[in-house]
Amino acid sequence: MNKIFSGLLLIGTVFFANAQYGSLDAILTKLEERKGINQNLSDVNIDNKKFVLIKDFPDHTERNFIVIKGKNATYVEMFDDKATNESTSNVFSGDIVRSRKNIISLRADLLENKKVPIPVTKTLLLTRQDNILYLIDVNNKDRWIDEESFSKTKIKAKK
């Protein structure tokens, strides 16, 4: 009798642990998706996409854009001085390479159609959160938002 009771207790424990494992796995999967890990975005087309990054500092504002057209990319830096209200910009062009693991490498070696000795390089992780596409800079964790998504959220916020 004692062996039967112990066997039933062991089987019940295994089923309970399996149920707990399933819920823990679901929670961990959701957290990984929030961080951009474990997403299969190989079917997402980034051709003709524009990604935006805006940084606000006490003395200036930086607006950065990445425009992707096929294998070519344009990287634009715009600086707005708050004291003088002047804007300056740098327009880089180059190419991108997209790997199977949602990694996008940008190499911009032309500054306004002139070769630069040290190209601007960025390694970005493509991720989606709440149906909004982001590029996350692997080195400094900057989040570039898809301009279409940014415009849609801005319109929804105004309504």
Side-chain angles (χ1 to χ4, degrees), residues 31-83:
L31 288 173
E32 287 174 345
E33 285 178 354
R34 280 190 189 162
K35 284 193 155 197
I37 306 167
N38 267 356
Q39 291 184 354
N40 183 9
L41 298 176
S42 58
D43 59 335
V44 175
N45 185 11
I46 59 168
D47 193 19
N48 294 320
K49 290 279 189 188
K50 185 178 190 180
F51 293 91
V52 180
L53 171 68
I54 300 173
K55 292 182 182 179
D56 194 27
F57 297 99
D59 58 338
H60 71 283
T61 303
E62 291 181 17
R63 294 178 290 156
N64 299 313
F65 305 95
I66 295 176
V67 181
I68 300 171
K69 295 203 184 274
K71 298 282 184 196
N72 297 322
T74 304
Y75 174 65
V76 180
E77 297 176 327
M78 295 185 73
F79 303 98
D80 300 322
D81 190 359
K82 291 182 179 178

Side-chain angles (χ1 to χ4, degrees), residues 22-145:
S23 63
L24 284 175
D25 186 48
I27 291 170
L28 288 174
T29 301
K30 191 170 186 177
L31 288 173
E32 287 174 345
E33 285 178 354
R34 280 190 189 162
K35 284 193 155 197
I37 306 167
N38 267 356
Q39 291 184 354
N40 183 9
L41 298 176
S42 58
D43 59 335
V44 175
N45 185 11
I46 59 168
D47 193 19
N48 294 320
K49 290 279 189 188
K50 185 178 190 180
F51 293 91
V52 180
L53 171 68
I54 300 173
K55 292 182 182 179
D56 194 27
F57 297 99
D59 58 338
H60 71 283
T61 303
E62 291 181 17
R63 294 178 290 156
N64 299 313
F65 305 95
I66 295 176
V67 181
I68 300 171
K69 295 203 184 274
K71 298 282 184 196
N72 297 322
T74 304
Y75 174 65
V76 180
E77 297 176 327
M78 295 185 73
F79 303 98
D80 300 322
D81 190 359
K82 291 182 179 178
T84 62
N85 288 330
E86 290 183 11
S87 293
T88 57
S89 65
N90 295 320
V91 180
F92 296 92
S93 57
D95 55 357
I96 65 161
V97 175
R98 182 175 177 182
S99 74
R100 289 179 274 149
K101 296 285 187 182
N102 303 333
I103 298 292
I104 297 172
S105 298
L106 167 73
R107 184 182 61 95
D109 59 350
L110 297 174
L111 173 60
E112 297 174 3
N113 294 325
K114 294 181 183 173
K115 200 85 156 153
V116 291
I118 300 174
V120 175
T121 58
K122 297 218 175 273
T123 304
L124 307 159
L125 173 67
L126 180 66
T127 185
R128 181 185 309 179
Q129 296 173 1
D130 300 326
N131 291 326
I132 299 173
L133 282 177
Y134 292 97
L135 291 176
I136 300 174
D137 193 324
V138 173
N139 296 319
N140 59 12
K141 306 297 185 230
D142 284 341
R143 294 171 57 93
W144 301 72
I145 187 170

Side-chain angles (χ1 to χ4, degrees), residues 10-23:
L10 180 64
I11 291 172
T13 304
V14 168
F15 282 123
F16 180 73
N18 192 19
Q20 291 297 321
Y21 173 76
S23 63

